[in-house]
């Protein structure tokens, strides 16, 4: 019969599952941190910021330039002297060679370099925080998908157990029909229920396969690689939750980035203000020059010059059409905006934090209620099963008890993972999703 074919297919499906590699949350996290491409991109951004914050990019070091010229010429010269001598000299050769090295070292620039260097250091710190934020977002995404897969695995088991109950009921009705103790209508109803339960299991299995591929994408492993997920989960106690809540503002990565933005704007404003002051520099030069000329009428045929020169330079941009004034005004506005933006983000943060905390406490309460509700439905189903075996309960009544048990199991399963997802969301906004160990 058709239902026997379905049983064979499901048996093959579960045999395949049992051969999969085991994956727990800790191993999934390690694979993600090692392989995730988005994390690698931001780690490279951090390396660029580190290069930019180097002393080599600060302007504190001197500028040294070297150059040389080698010039050779061949000319024809027509000569006419005041005494009346005149003539033409052909193929007159001359060489002119020179080399020089120069030094330019800014001693004082109104503290502009200092503030720009501080700004580059803050940009590096911000880049590090951005890497941390990307890791937090990626780990949060990983946990969300991992727990969704875990939820579907348990949902799959619920539908599998329910399908087994429907299969035994169908077999019972077929046997009763052979002995004249049942009707074709009851067999047909049992077969319809069995097929509906089979569809539920197939749909959940399909959804689980899709979510597992999403999980592989986050971990950056082969999309068709299959794992057997560990679905055991524990919840943090209220002391741990309250500790995370109280330290959330201090540990939140996004707020730390806003602090860096304020510091960057402040240093940029001071660097812009320093352009009003003069720049004092040290300059030095060493040069060598050789000139050779075989013109017999030249004043000299060979000349060599070499020597050092040095001194101080002063540059003061007193007025440049008002551009500095505008730049300073805009820098002050940007600094004020960064502080306003920080305050706005703090208000949003506390709103989200309180919402997440309340949502999580509600989800924990709902989970406890659903666990008790499941216990009641299990007792009710066991009693109905005994009555059904004794023939004191109709198929319709038994099916109703079966569906109530299934509904209670699904609600308990959903509430458990809703509570876990709200917990990791609370850990993320508290800045502890990386440091908190999930097994």
């Amino acid at each position: 019969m058709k239902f026997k074919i379905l049983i064979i297919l499901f048996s093959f499906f579960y045999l395949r599952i049992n051969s999969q590699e085991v994956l727990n949350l800790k191993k999934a996290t390690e694979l993600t941190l090692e392989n995730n491409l988005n994390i690698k991109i931001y780690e490279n951004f951090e390396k660029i910021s580190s290069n930019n914050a180097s002393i080599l990019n600060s302007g504190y070091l001197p500028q040294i330039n070297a150059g040389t010229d080698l010039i050779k010429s061949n000319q024809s010269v027509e000569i006419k002297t005041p005494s009346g001598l005149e003539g033409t000299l052909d193929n007159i050769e001359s060489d002119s060679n020179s080399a020089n090295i120069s030094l330019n070292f800014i001693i004082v620039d109104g503290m502009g370099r200092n503030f720009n260097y501080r700004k580059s250091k803050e940009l590096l710190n911000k880049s590090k925080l951005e890497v941390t934020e990307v890791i937090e977002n990626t780990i949060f995404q990983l946990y969300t998908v991992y727990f969704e897969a875990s939820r579907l695995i348990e949902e799959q088991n619920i539908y599998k157990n329910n399908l087994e109950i429907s299969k035994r009921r169908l077999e019972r009705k077929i046997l009763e029909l052979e002995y004249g103790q049942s009707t074709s209508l009851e067999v047909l109803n049992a077969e319809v229920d069995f097929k509906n339960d089979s569809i539920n299991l197939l749909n959940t299995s399909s959804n689980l396969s899709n979510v597992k591929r999403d999980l592989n994408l986050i971990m950056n492993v082969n999309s068709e690689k299959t794992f057997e997920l560990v679905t055991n989960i524990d919840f943090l106690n209220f002391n741990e939750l309250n500790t995370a809540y109280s330290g959330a503002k201090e540990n939140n990565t996004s707020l730390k980035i806003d602090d860096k933005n304020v510091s960057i704007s402040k240093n940029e404003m001071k660097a812009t203000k320093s352009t009003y002051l003069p720049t004092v520099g040290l300059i030095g030069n060493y040069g060598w020059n050789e000139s050779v000329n075989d013109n017999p009428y030249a004043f000299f045929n060979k000349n060599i010059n070499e020597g050092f020169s040095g001194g101080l330079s002063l540059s003061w941009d007193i007025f440049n059409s008002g551009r500095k004034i505008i730049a300073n005004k805009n820098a002050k506005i940007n600094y004020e905006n960064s502080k306003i933006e920080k305050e706005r983000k703090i208000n949003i943060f506390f709103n989200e934090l309180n919402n997440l905390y309340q949502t999580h406490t509600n989800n924990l309460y709902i989970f406890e209620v659903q666990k008790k509700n499941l216990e009641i439905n299990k007792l009710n189903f066991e009693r109905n099963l005994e009555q059904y075996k004794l023939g004191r309960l109709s198929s319709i009544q038994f099916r109703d008890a079966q569906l109530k048990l299934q509904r209670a199991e699904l609600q308990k399963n959903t509430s458990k993972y809703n509570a876990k997802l709200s917990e990791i969301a609370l850990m993320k906004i508290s800045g502890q999703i990386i440091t908190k160990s999930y097994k």
Side-chain angles (χ1 to χ4, degrees), residues 156-215:
Q156 188 182 62
N157 292 331
I158 293 170
Y159 284 130
K160 180 186 176 184
N161 294 333
N162 203 53
L163 182 65
E164 183 64 25
I165 294 172
S166 296
K167 184 192 78 169
R168 290 197 298 267
R169 174 184 159 214
L170 178 57
E171 291 172 342
R172 178 188 178 99
K173 288 302 175 183
I174 291 173
L175 186 61
E176 288 178 352
L177 180 63
E178 292 177 356
Y179 288 94
Q181 297 177 350
S182 184
T183 64
S184 298
L185 180 60
E186 288 187 334
V187 173
L188 183 61
N189 288 336
E191 187 174 354
V192 169
D193 292 337
F194 175 80
K195 289 181 178 179
N196 286 335
D197 293 339
S198 301
I199 291 172
N200 289 335
L201 180 56
L202 284 172
N203 287 336
T204 299
S205 300
S206 177
N207 292 336
L208 177 59
S209 296
N210 293 337
V211 172
K212 282 187 173 182
R213 278 190 285 271
D214 293 339
L215 185 64

Side-chain angles (χ1 to χ4, degrees), residues 162 193 197 200 377 381 398-409:
N162 203 53
D193 292 337
D197 293 339
N200 289 335
N377 276 277
F381 176 76
F398 177 74
R399 178 63 176 176
D400 182 62
Q402 179 188 0
L403 292 178
K404 285 182 178 179
L405 175 61
Q406 175 183 278
R407 191 180 305 113
E409 289 174 331

Side-chain angles (χ1 to χ4, degrees), residues 36-37 212-223:
N36 185 268
L37 299 179
K212 282 187 173 182
R213 278 190 285 271
D214 293 339
L215 185 64
N216 288 351
L217 180 62
I218 297 173
M219 297 186 297
N220 194 29
V221 298
N222 191 306
S223 63

Side-chain angles (χ1 to χ4, degrees), residues 212-260:
K212 282 187 173 182
R213 278 190 285 271
D214 293 339
L215 185 64
N216 288 351
L217 180 62
I218 297 173
M219 297 186 297
N220 194 29
V221 298
N222 191 306
S223 63
E224 297 305 318
K225 185 175 178 61
T226 56
F227 296 97
E228 181 182 354
L229 271 61
V230 177
T231 59
N232 298 331
I233 62 173
D234 297 316
F235 293 99
L236 300 176
N237 58 50
F238 275 98
N239 287 335
E240 292 174 304
L241 293 175
N242 290 332
T243 299
Y245 178 86
S246 60
K249 182 177 181 295
E250 179 182 352
N251 297 321
N252 181 268
T253 305
S254 181
L255 294 183
K256 291 180 180 179
I257 292 175
D258 290 330
D259 287 336
K260 294 303 174 186

